[in-house]
Amino acid sequence: MSADIFENLINLNPERVRHRRIKVFGLMIVSTLIATGKWLSSIPTDSFWLTKVLMTILFILTFAWIALFFWSSIFGFFELMAKRKVPGINWLPKDAPLTTKTAILMPVYNESSVNVFANLLAMADSLHTTEQGKYFDMFVLSDTTNPKVWVEEERVWLEAKQKMPKEINLYYRRRAKNTARKSGNIEDFCTKWGAYYDYMIVLDADSLLEGSTMVKMVQLMQANPKTGIIQAPPMCLNGHSLFARIQQFAGKVYGPIVSAGLAYWQVGDSNYWGHNAIIRVKAFMECCGLPVLKGKAPFGGMILSHDFVEAALIRRGGWAAWLLPELKGSYEECPPTMIDFAIRDRRWCQGNMQHLKILISKGLHPVSRVHFTIGVMSYLSSPLWLAFLVVGTAIVLGRGIFPPVYFEEVRTLFPVWPIFDKLGTITLFALSMFMLIFPKFLGLIVYLRDNKNKKKIGGAWSAFKSVIAEIGMSVLTAPIMMMFQSKFVFDIFAGNSVSWNTQNRDDTGTSFSEAVARHLSHTILGIVSTIVIWFYAHSIFWWMLPITVGLMLSIPISMFTSRVTNGEWFKKHKFFLIPEETDAPKILREAKAHLKKLESHVPALQGVALLVDNNVLNALHISMLQVNGPAPDFTREVSQNAEIKLENYLTYGKEMDLSKEEELSLLYNPKLLLQANIGKFLKD
């Protein structure tokens, strides 16, 4: 951390920060060295030297990753138990007045319009209760490409605007070209409107932030002029499928000690997670012009995981970045199924692999390089674990097929016994499991302490058995996710890029055909591995069983955890309960109430048909085309087909059945839309 930032921080000095980082990373290094020493003494002495080297490297990389998570969680636990705030940041009283203007940004891409605007209305109502709502404006920044969703966004925006508290403005803008995806969307806002605002709160389409939390974030920015980013850790909420409920329970119980542990050693050099954070507009505009990486995708092109990069650039520019676990009232939703989780992970994986290029950029703060390394390792750890398991199994198979040679060619009085420390190997395995599982129980201790009213969480026994059940489910799903992520990494290094798709937020569940398509290779691998190990490496059969069982049962596990009915069954039997389920936050209740009202007004017609039928929406759409940017080019064939179908609809009442391109060509043709609306009006 540079000296210019320290001058503006309270109760913080470089030595204190250095000591924190030495403790966390020192303990990680020491524990890894001790475990590695034990590992070296456990490897069979007759193993080929290259095998020893490979296994040792894989062991160091995988164990160091576990050790960092473990020690970071330990320090996070003690910080939470002591109820200490992150040092170095100045807090203002709750009623301190705001003196600046903040933009709340909701970037969307083919999302459910009623869900998006219901959340914004709930946040606006929550801001209104703080009596400081006039210092906030809301923006829906659309990158939507689906023409029917585009028209629906305009319709619901108009309805939501009429329901907003009078002191809060709600703006809507759609880009014609989705340059650089979300990061380009935010950059476009800053270029056109950034000068009007001191700060911007960046959301995701499923974000919910309490009004008091947003006010507090602005107060912190005002009180800490060298701060560029403040991240409020989001908590998963509103999950209904079993998979989503397990994820939100894990986030509620374990998330706080993870966040507190990260904040403990990051202090003012923290990261940014892309949403539910406040950013100083000046810092963003000065520092965050993202480069286009050289070469083709997946490693080149537009940066996908832009949030890490923006945090590093802001930090390089001399601004502080904070992760503050003290900020509550920050919510998001979990992917409803394992497959949806994996699809999102695929995009994140490619973005994090791109960071290999950025990692060596000039001028970055050392902690920013650590963030990039952690991000890369969060995905590389899966193929590393897979390689470790494959090599280890191959060694055991080799010893079964090619027995050790006890008497060498040179005659000796005594046989050469290969030494293998079985107890040492078991000890290392037990230690690794302890370091992965023990922090979960520390999280449970904090969870029980913070929830005095145990009825809200189903009681202490309910929380305990839920942790045990979550650990069991994690054991089964971990090998499946390992295979998913390993494939992602292999695909990326093979040059296969990922497309930008809308995240699924529906609770429809995973069908049998989809589960087979996604998990058949996992199932076959699990069955084959089990058979081979049983017959040729029986000594490790029971040790490998948790991995092979998870793979063999991947299809039913994926389907079972995707079902809302199963989530409800576990909820009924008090598994995975969180207090926000039994006593929902007011903002969530209001979001659901607004959603119900908005859904009750959804018209039967969509897209162009709705604009032709509705005078108000027709005029609104045409007037907003002026701020959408230049229309894309359409071929003559597309434009002519669209006009013919529109004419047949008006004259004969035939269904238009427009292609995406044809409907877009009509939506960008204000003259034709106006004529069609007038013609429909005169005909009626």
Side-chain angles (χ1 to χ4, degrees), residues 355-579:
H355 294 166
L356 287 168
K357 283 189 172 183
I358 303 170
L359 182 61
I360 57 175
S361 299
K362 295 181 180 179
L364 295 181
H365 191 278
V367 175
S368 297
R369 300 188 197 276
V370 172
H371 291 319
F372 287 134
T373 303
I374 290 174
V376 170
M377 280 300 300
S378 65
Y379 291 97
L380 282 183
S381 60
S382 285
L384 288 172
W385 268 111
L386 180 61
F388 185 80
L389 291 171
V390 168
V391 174
T393 304
I395 291 173
V396 178
L397 286 171
R399 293 177 68 82
I401 298 171
F402 303 102
V405 177
Y406 299 108
F407 293 94
E408 299 179 353
E409 293 182 3
V410 179
R411 295 181 180 274
T412 59
L413 183 60
F414 300 102
V416 178
W417 298 106
I419 299 173
F420 172 60
D421 186 359
K422 185 177 181 179
L423 180 61
T425 305
I426 294 173
T427 302
L428 286 174
F429 174 79
L431 177 63
S432 299
M433 292 302 100
F434 171 80
M435 296 176 79
L436 285 171
I437 294 173
F438 182 64
K440 294 177 183 281
F441 290 99
L442 295 182
L444 177 62
I445 292 171
V446 176
Y447 183 61
L448 293 174
R449 184 203 66 177
D450 291 345
N451 288 279
K452 304 296 184 184
N453 184 357
K454 299 297 186 292
K455 290 183 179 179
K456 288 187 177 182
I457 58 174
W461 169 242
S462 171
F464 177 78
K465 71 180 184 181
S466 296
V467 169
I468 299 299
E470 190 277 333
I471 291 171
M473 189 59 68
S474 295
V475 170
L476 290 174
T477 58
I480 304 172
M481 295 311 301
M482 176 184 70
M483 295 307 302
F484 267 132
Q485 293 182 346
S486 297
K487 185 180 184 302
F488 298 160
V489 173
F490 294 147
D491 282 347
I492 289 167
F493 279 93
N496 299 321
S497 186
V498 67
S499 57
W500 186 32
N501 297 316
T502 307
Q503 183 176 317
N504 178 37
R505 306 185 197 278
D506 297 327
D507 290 314
T508 53
T510 300
S511 65
F512 177 72
S513 58
E514 185 181 12
V516 170
R518 296 283 185 174
H519 297 292
L520 182 59
S521 59
H522 304 156
T523 305
I524 293 173
L525 178 62
I527 293 172
V528 172
S529 299
T530 301
I531 294 172
V532 170
I533 292 171
W534 174 263
F535 285 104
Y536 300 103
H538 194 74
S539 61
I540 62 170
F541 176 80
W542 299 106
W543 296 102
M544 294 293 290
L545 200 58
I547 296 171
T548 54
V549 166
L551 293 175
M552 286 190 291
L553 299 179
S554 57
I555 291 174
I557 288 172
S558 185
M559 293 177 63
F560 182 80
T561 57
S562 73
R563 298 289 185 264
V564 172
T565 51
N566 294 333
E568 292 299 321
W569 187 92
F570 276 87
K571 181 180 179 180
K572 180 181 177 181
H573 291 81
K574 297 184 178 181
F575 279 92
F576 313 121
L577 278 177
I578 59 173

Side-chain angles (χ1 to χ4, degrees), residues 101-107 136-143 169 171-175 179 181-202 279-282 284-285:
K101 198 75 171 175
T102 299
I104 300 170
L105 310 184
M106 177 75 86
F136 296 86
D137 286 338
M138 291 184 165
F139 287 80
V140 175
L141 306 177
S142 175
D143 263 348
N169 295 311
Y171 300 103
Y172 169 82
R173 182 275 284 136
R174 176 186 172 272
R175 288 198 302 170
T179 306
R181 302 180 177 91
K182 182 178 178 179
S183 62
N185 205 350
I186 302 296
E187 183 179 349
D188 180 78
F189 166 82
C190 289
T191 301
K192 294 176 179 175
W193 298 285
Y196 296 102
Y197 299 93
D198 296 281
Y199 318 116
M200 57 184 179
I201 295 175
V202 181
I279 303 176
R280 191 177 299 271
V281 174
K282 181 176 185 291
F284 189 89
M285 294 180 70

Side-chain angles (χ1 to χ4, degrees), residues 53-75:
V53 171
L54 179 60
M55 288 293 288
T56 302
I57 291 173
L58 290 172
F59 178 85
I60 292 172
L61 291 174
T62 51
F63 192 89
W65 181 247
I66 294 173
L68 177 59
F69 161 78
F70 175 77
W71 289 114
S72 183
S73 298
I74 293 295
F75 284 102

Side-chain angles (χ1 to χ4, degrees), residues 230-293:
I230 295 175
Q231 175 71 62
M235 188 192 81
C236 284
L237 205 61
N238 208 28
H240 303 290
S241 70
L242 177 58
F243 182 83
R245 294 197 65 249
I246 292 173
Q247 294 300 308
Q248 71 183 18
F249 174 79
K252 180 68 176 180
V253 177
Y254 319 142
I257 68 166
V258 173
S259 296
L262 291 174
Y264 176 80
W265 60 265
Q266 291 174 3
V267 198
D269 302 316
S270 295
N271 214 343
Y272 164 47
W273 299 342
H275 59 280
N276 293 32
I278 187 169
I279 303 176
R280 191 177 299 271
V281 174
K282 181 176 185 291
F284 189 89
M285 294 180 70
E286 284 180 354
C287 306
C288 292
L290 295 182
V292 177
L293 299 178

